[in-house]
Amino acid sequence: VDEFELIRRFFSTGYPQRTDVMLGVGDDGAISRLGRDEELVSCSDTLVAGTHFPPELPADAIAHRALATNLSDLAAMGASPRWFLLALALPRIEPEWLEQFSAGLARLAARYQVALIGGDTVRGPLSMTITALGSVPPGTAVRRSGAVDGDLIYVTGTCGDAARAWQAMAGGATLAADDPCYRRFAYPEPRVQEGLALRDLASAMIDISDGLHVDLERLLTASGVGGAARAEDVPLSAALVDQVGLAAARELALTGGDDYELCFSVAESRTTDLARLSADWSCPPVCIGRVVSEPGLSWELDGLGLANPSSAFQHF
Ligand code: ADP
Ligand code: MG
């Protein structure tokens, strides 16, 4: 069983159903109805040392990543981040490490005005779970399931950079602190404002945590449609192409993961609205393909069919 089969089998059904749960397991965040004016959007992500980051990563970067991955899930729902809880397992108490960890956490929290409202601290192998909570006006959260035939598919920023850095570090390389790929891995910038801006425009949205191919495939599957995408249009950073060459850069961009960019669909009739809305973004959205009715995601490169990328990040 893979991760999704596991969740489907053991955690999707058999639990109490409530009418105030607008959306449960299966999207970037859950949607709960509290009152008339707002819905709560919640998500949770765990990072384990050695699995999701090298244990020697600076403590402020570990904290930043832990919060950023959650803010990215809220962004993918179009939610305003408001609060978070931190459950932290530490092998030992090291005041200097904690000083740096909390500084990194506080810095990112301040940028988006999210308040730390609770958590838990235990002794154990280094890992942390952050639960982030945000809100949307009722009915406005962007789900994975709204893409329709003919919509255009977009991705923000660039893909593959963080995966390149993780791969290099896993292979024993020490990257310069100012290496652009390392920066993308250590301090991913959640696309919070962009997600909010897309709330009334995107028909479906997901954040890219496991790789563009698998995450876009998840969006398309949730929407009951397919997609035709062009690998040559997937945005790559100059640094990535410089470091690994064009072919490897494309491979990393499609399969690498840890990008925390937004991938979304927009009705073709609204693409001028999108261009206007995103004119001043630091991570401009790029159209990489189109939604089709036939299920499945196919890629082409310069007009030729591409074998489906498969080396995506597997949780199990
Ligand atoms: P993401 O990559 O966006 O964080 P995941 O792939 O981690 O999403 O999870 C997919 C979906 O399954 C999400 O809706 C998540 O909340 C849910 N999920 C994951 N693990 C569990 C679990 N143990 N119990 C209940 N729901 C879970
Ligand atoms: Mg997600």
Side-chain angles (χ1 to χ4, degrees):
V1 282
D2 66 7
E3 185 202 6
F4 288 87
E5 173 63 10
L6 181 156
I7 295 165
R8 199 192 57 73
R9 229 166 103 186
F10 300 108
F11 303 118
S12 295
T13 55
Y15 300 94
Q17 307 271 307
R18 295 179 55 103
T19 55
D20 52 9
V21 178
M22 315 312 286
L23 181 66
V25 172
D27 213 302
D28 292 299
I31 309 172
S32 320
R33 176 66 67 89
L34 293 178
R36 257 172 196 295
D37 307 328
E38 279 177 327
E39 282 170 351
L40 180 70
V41 178
S42 26
C43 60
S44 194
D45 249 320
T46 298
L47 299 187
V48 178
T51 305
H52 302 104
F53 60 87
E56 60 279 3
L57 195 71
D60 67 319
I62 296 174
H64 179 108
R65 278 182 63 72
L67 182 55
T69 59
N70 278 283
L71 295 180
S72 177
D73 275 326
L74 290 182
M77 302 298 292
S80 307
R82 292 170 68 166
W83 312 281
F84 72 104
L85 297 98
L86 167 69
L88 184 59
L90 291 172
R92 70 198 82 81
I93 293 172
E94 287 177 61
E96 272 177 33
W97 189 94
L98 281 163
E99 202 70 61
Q100 214 193 350
F101 182 88
S102 60
L105 193 63
R107 204 179 308 130
L108 182 60
R111 201 171 314 151
Y112 295 106
Q113 290 298 296
V114 273
L116 176 59
I117 56 167
D120 195 17
T121 308
V122 297
R123 190 183 293 272
L126 179 62
S127 81
M128 66 227 61
T129 299
I130 286 183
T131 301
L133 307 164
S135 61
V136 288
T140 67
V142 186
R143 304 172 178 218
R144 294 179 181 177
S145 57
V148 297
D149 188 12
D151 284 356
L152 296 179
I153 300 166
Y154 287 83
V155 62
T156 61
T158 60
C159 297
D161 307 78
R164 150 71 187 158
W166 189 202
Q167 222 172 52
M169 287 185 287
T174 310
L175 300 177
D178 63 353
D179 179 299
C181 293
Y182 171 76
R183 303 289 312 172
R184 287 293 306 274
F185 178 82
Y187 304 97
E189 198 53 64
R191 305 306 189 187
V192 174
Q193 281 94 358
E194 293 80 7
L196 277 173
L198 287 166
R199 192 158 70 196
D200 302 317
L201 199 62
S203 52
M205 185 150 59
I206 189 168
D207 71 316
I208 307 172
S209 53
D210 294 347
L212 175 59
H213 174 73
V214 282
D215 286 321
L216 173 53
E217 204 172 38
R218 282 171 193 155
L219 179 152
L220 297 167
T221 302
S223 298
V225 293
R230 299 173 301 271
E232 69 272 20
D233 290 342
V234 172
L236 305 171
S237 75
L240 179 63
V241 176
D242 209 48
Q243 289 184 20
V244 301
L246 185 57
R250 281 201 178 119
E251 176 88 26
L252 281 167
L254 264 55
T255 63
D258 283 328
D259 299 303
Y260 302 107
E261 294 293 353
L262 296 174
C263 180
F264 57 96
S265 54
V266 174
E268 191 163 17
S269 61
R270 305 214 53 195
T271 53
T272 48
D273 295 335
L274 176 64
R276 184 161 2 94
L277 190 80
S278 62
D280 62 351
W281 291 6
S282 63
C283 56
V286 172
C287 180
I288 59 163
R290 185 184 285 276
V291 175
V292 299
S293 56
E294 180 84 355
L297 169 58
S298 64
W299 288 92
E300 60 174 47
L301 180 62
D302 302 325
L304 294 173
L306 205 62
N308 258 7
S310 59
S311 58
F313 187 84
Q314 285 285 330
H315 296 250
F316 288 97

